Amino acid sequence: MHPEIVQDGPGDCPKCGMALEPMLPAAPAVEYTCPMHPQVVQSEPGFCPICGMALEPRTPNLAQQEDPELKSMTQRFWVGVALTIPLLVLAMGDMIRGVRFRDWLGAAPFEWLQFAFATPVVLWGGAPFFVRAWRSYRTLTLNMWSLIGLGVAAAYLFSLFVLLFPDTLPQSFKTHGMLPIYFEAAAAIITLVLLGQMLELRARSRTSGAIKALLGLAPTTARRIDENGNEEDVALDRVHVGDRLRVRPGEKVPVDGSVLEGSSVIDESMVTGEPLPATKSAGDPVTAGTVNQTGAFVMKAEKVGADTLLARITDLVARASRSRAPIQRLADTVSSWFVPGVVLVAIVTLIVWLLIGPEPVFVHGLVAAVSVLIIACPCALGLATPIAVMVGVGRGAKEGVLIKDAEALEVMERVDTLVVDKTGTLTEGRPRLRTVRTSAGFDERELLRLVASIENASEHPLAAAIVAGAAGRDIRPEAAAGFESITGKGVRGTVAGRVVLAGNRRLMQDNGIAADDLAQTADALRSEGETVMLVAVDGKPAGLVSVADPIKASTPEAMRILKQEGLRIVMLTGDNRATADAIGRELGIDEIHAEVLPQDKYEIVKRLQSQGRIVAMAGDGINDAPALAQAQVGIAMGSGTDVAMESARVVLVKGDLRSIAK
């Protein structure tokens, strides 16, 4: 109440006696987890004891800056590229006709130059991988790093040994007098693995960006009303359950709660995905992060902090983004058996050479054992996978499909269930004038001119659709006098001396207008998914106009192609049941879920996955973000929100569902 009162320790305000609060509230404890093994959780940064990857915060916050691991891997990769390319040219020059670097430089400089190029790449660039490999052996949790570390170390150390002690090597292992050194293999493997790590960290950074974008949707302050009716702006973390808060036009709702006084129209598209705002009056629930458009109201705080819907959406996206690692778990399982198998084969090879090999038996056996370790190192995968990914991603980009990680490209082939949002995915996401019906004695163009004239003064998206529809029919609105917006019912105004009412049935009843015939027609249109507005002129029913969110022109063909591919189509929408059913019938959708919230979409995707289905989710809104992150492949419309595009692994640039089939 008196911010000028500041002291070092806790106590009471000398002016009003209220308990002093910290100027900067204590930051919540941050927990760190492994992106590949979410069961690993600790209270401070570190490395995963299972796979050796750097731990990251379970939920990013807006204060976090660039990922230090991504920065480190990027620097190591580009240094690796700068040194590995000339190393490969040097080592493989003999394969180019007429190029003999060894003859030009001499044998010893040729071999030592390879050592000079490879050493920084292996020892500095590959240092994080050797640390992870060492941890895996120390804890006996063998994984892909165990094999990479062992193979690269064997190649590099064996090459260094041969370089330092060339005379110890049997002549039979020298090809045309050349020493068998593998510096270029060790450096190339490290550089390619660095490339994979850099791309993976960038993908995780984008998911983190989606979560930060969600955090940024919440307002930072709320206007609290105290017991005496005084108002003050307070930080959001000082709002408690039961507090009374004022929300003014244009402001975001600070926390979840219900309206106590006043009424307004609120844009809830971030929750429902629907473009039409919702009318709120006393007793109606309101959601944190939604935007108050017209009126001011007083609300009661009922859920604050981590309990708000926006906070739960953020947590769902974070949790889902960490849970996606089936291929990684398979790789770890294979590695846990493959690594000891490779080591065993190398040991057996050494023993066999010691028992029956030619002299010098130990050197022959050592070379053979090291050869097994080098051959087992996954350098072939390191070379083949990036090339295949680049070709696939490049072809996708030409078709307007941005593929953000390689696993999504692989998993799409096995998808058997496509979950789609309605608004902005199946439909255009913008309401348009659909139907104009008149009562006896009224002309259609005249009715539309009168309605467009009074709606031209309204801020409602429904009004904008009617005005745009009239303009499309070359009808220009006139100036309206005495415009009045009646919250939850409609609008009133005078156009060229004629009193025009446009709204719902309650507005007609309040003005003593019998609109039963129009109401029946309106019900039929609503069953087809249209939003209807009744119109009266000079106290008489004049007709109705309706708007609807039209289905994209490409959607019917896309649904036909996808169903031919054998996919089961499931629609999830926050819209009402009648509209959802109408869209579903028209498109032949297999399963329809209407009036669902973001967490419901997330849970439905999880349920489908628990049934053994491979799920792709296509959506464009903030409310789709948790489901996009949870699905095996999240597909965002290019025209959608940034949060949706950050949460998804594939982006359709043109928002055309036919691109999914491609």
Side-chain angles (χ1 to χ4, degrees):
M1 298 300 293
H2 301 95
E4 69 276 11
I5 304 297
V6 179
Q7 66 181 48
D8 292 335
D12 296 327
C13 175
K15 290 188 176 181
C16 65
M18 290 183 66
L20 300 179
E21 298 179 348
M23 291 186 68
L24 293 174
V30 178
E31 291 184 328
Y32 295 84
T33 187
C34 173
M36 293 300 180
H37 301 94
Q39 69 272 25
V40 175
V41 179
Q42 64 184 48
S43 58
E44 56 187 24
F47 296 92
C48 174
I50 299 175
C51 66
M53 292 186 69
L55 301 181
E56 57 186 33
R58 294 186 76 170
T59 302
N61 58 64
L62 292 172
Q64 289 168 0
Q65 301 301 316
E66 183 183 4
D67 182 354
E69 188 183 13
L70 173 58
K71 183 178 180 181
S72 171
M73 289 295 177
T74 302
Q75 290 174 341
R76 293 172 195 270
F77 168 71
W78 287 114
V79 170
V81 168
L83 295 175
T84 301
I85 289 176
L87 173 59
L88 289 172
V89 172
L90 188 68
M92 303 299 175
D94 289 351
M95 297 181 181
I96 304 173
R97 184 174 298 177
V99 178
R100 299 284 296 177
F101 290 114
R102 187 172 182 275
D103 294 342
W104 299 345
L105 297 172
F110 173 74
E111 289 151 359
W112 280 100
L113 190 58
Q114 290 186 57
F115 165 78
F117 278 123
T119 298
V121 179
V122 173
L123 298 187
W124 179 72
F129 308 148
F130 292 124
V131 171
R132 295 174 186 179
W134 170 246
R135 285 199 185 95
S136 72
Y137 287 113
R138 192 181 64 190
T139 59
L140 296 180
T141 52
L142 302 178
N143 50 46
M144 65 178 238
W145 302 113
S146 314
L147 196 56
I148 290 172
L150 184 62
V152 172
Y156 179 80
L157 293 175
F158 177 77
S159 301
L160 182 59
F161 174 80
V162 169
L163 190 62
L164 294 174
F165 308 103
D167 295 335
T168 62
L169 201 67
Q171 194 63 34
S172 58
F173 283 95
K174 299 178 181 180
T175 305
H176 305 298
M178 295 174 59
L179 297 176
I181 56 177
Y182 304 98
F183 288 124
E184 84 287 352
I189 291 168
I190 290 295
T191 301
L192 288 166
V193 174
L194 282 168
L195 171 62
Q197 287 294 288
M198 183 180 72
L199 294 176
E200 183 179 332
L201 288 166
R202 282 186 179 177
R204 293 217 312 271
S205 177
R206 282 193 289 267
T207 300
S208 174
I211 299 171
K212 289 180 181 180
L214 282 169
L215 292 171
L217 292 174
T220 56
T221 62
R223 191 163 188 83
R224 185 167 61 189
I225 306 173
D226 65 15
E227 296 175 354
N228 300 320
N230 299 315
E231 299 182 12
E232 63 169 336
D233 290 328
V234 298
L236 205 60
D237 50 20
R238 291 176 55 192
V239 175
H240 304 101
V241 173
D243 283 353
R244 291 193 305 151
L245 309 172
R246 184 177 299 281
V247 184
R248 294 165 291 192
E251 292 182 338
K252 291 181 179 179
V253 177
V255 296
D256 291 0
S258 59
V259 178
L260 291 175
E261 305 169 12
S263 60
S264 184
V265 174
I266 296 180
D267 179 0
E268 294 187 316
S269 57
M270 63 155 281
V271 177
T272 64
E274 301 312 310
L276 298 178
T279 301
K280 300 290 183 179
S281 54
D284 291 335
V286 289
T287 305
T290 56
V291 181
N292 181 29
Q293 291 192 328
T294 54
F297 61 90
V298 176
M299 64 172 289
K300 177 184 178 182
E302 295 175 351
K303 292 181 179 179
V304 301
D307 294 329
T308 65
L309 178 61
L310 182 59
R312 295 202 302 275
I313 292 175
T314 305
D315 181 62
L316 287 175
V317 173
R319 196 187 317 162
S321 66
R322 292 194 301 269
S323 67
R324 185 203 314 131
I327 290 177
Q328 180 62 37
R329 286 196 293 271
L330 176 62
D332 287 347
T333 302
V334 171
S335 296
S336 66
W337 291 93
F338 184 64
V339 175
V342 168
V343 174
L344 181 62
V345 171
I347 294 172
V348 170
T349 302
L350 176 61
I351 293 172
V352 170
W353 276 90
L354 290 175
L355 293 176
I356 61 174
E359 292 292 338
V361 291
F362 179 75
V363 175
H364 279 96
L366 180 63
V367 172
V370 170
S371 297
V372 170
L373 297 177
I374 293 173
I375 290 168
C377 190
C379 53
L381 283 176
L383 287 165
T385 303
I387 293 172
V389 170
M390 283 190 292
V391 171
V393 170
R395 176 60 191 274
K398 288 183 179 179
E399 299 288 348
V401 181
L402 301 183
I403 300 163
K404 300 199 303 192
D405 73 61
E407 188 182 341
L409 187 61
E410 177 186 351
V411 174
M412 273 301 291
E413 190 270 336
R414 296 186 286 114
V415 165
D416 56 27
T417 303
L418 175 63
V419 177
V420 291
D421 170 51
K422 180 183 74 67
T423 307
T425 303
L426 298 176
T427 66
E428 294 182 1
R430 296 182 302 274
R432 292 188 180 181
L433 180 66
R434 186 78 166 264
T435 304
V436 180
R437 298 276 176 86
T438 60
S439 299
F442 287 90
D443 176 70
E444 183 177 305
R445 288 182 63 84
E446 176 65 9
L447 177 71
L448 186 54
R449 183 183 65 82
L450 293 172
V451 176
S453 297
I454 61 167
E455 294 290 5
N456 198 36
S458 174
E459 299 174 352
H460 200 288
L462 196 68
I466 293 171
V467 174
R473 302 185 187 192
D474 200 26
I475 297 174
R476 294 185 179 182
E478 299 181 15
F483 174 81
E484 180 184 1
S485 176
I486 306 165
T487 303
K489 296 179 183 178
V491 294
R492 181 204 318 265
T494 302
V495 181
R498 308 182 74 180
V499 178
V500 182
L501 293 174
N504 56 25
R505 194 167 184 175
R506 287 169 56 197
L507 180 65
M508 300 295 134
Q509 291 172 344
D510 291 349
N511 288 271
I513 298 170
D516 293 341
D517 292 341
L518 291 176
Q520 292 177 2
T521 305
D523 290 341
L525 292 174
R526 289 191 188 98
S527 69
E528 297 299 321
E530 299 184 28
T531 301
V532 182
M533 182 179 293
L534 305 179
V535 183
V537 178
D538 294 332
K540 297 178 181 179
L544 57 79
V545 294
S546 75
V547 301
D549 184 8
I551 294 173
K552 291 180 181 177
S554 61
T555 298
E557 183 185 356
M559 292 292 104
R560 179 179 55 79
I561 295 171
L562 292 167
K563 289 177 78 69
Q564 287 175 351
E565 293 281 341
L567 269 68
R568 179 174 178 80
I569 312 295
V570 179
M571 182 174 76
L572 308 181
T573 177
D575 207 347
N576 63 73
R577 170 60 61 180
T579 301
D581 287 342
I583 297 289
R585 284 195 305 270
E586 186 171 347
L587 296 175
I589 290 172
D590 299 304
E591 187 178 331
I592 300 168
H593 298 269
E595 300 174 2
V596 295
L597 295 175
Q599 63 266 37
D600 299 327
K601 294 187 177 185
Y602 169 83
E603 292 297 337
I604 290 169
V605 170
K606 283 190 69 175
R607 176 168 57 77
L608 290 168
Q609 291 171 326
S610 69
Q611 296 170 358
R613 293 188 172 275
I614 308 298
V615 180
M617 166 73 189
D620 73 328
I622 294 166
N623 61 318
D624 300 317
L628 287 170
Q630 175 61 32
Q632 274 92 345
V633 182
I635 303 169
M637 302 295 108
S639 56
T641 62
D642 291 342
V643 172
M645 285 189 279
E646 295 286 1
S647 301
R649 307 170 76 185
V650 176
V651 177
L652 306 184
V653 177
K654 298 177 182 177
D656 186 343
L657 289 177
R658 290 175 297 186
S659 298
I660 295 178
K662 292 180 181 179

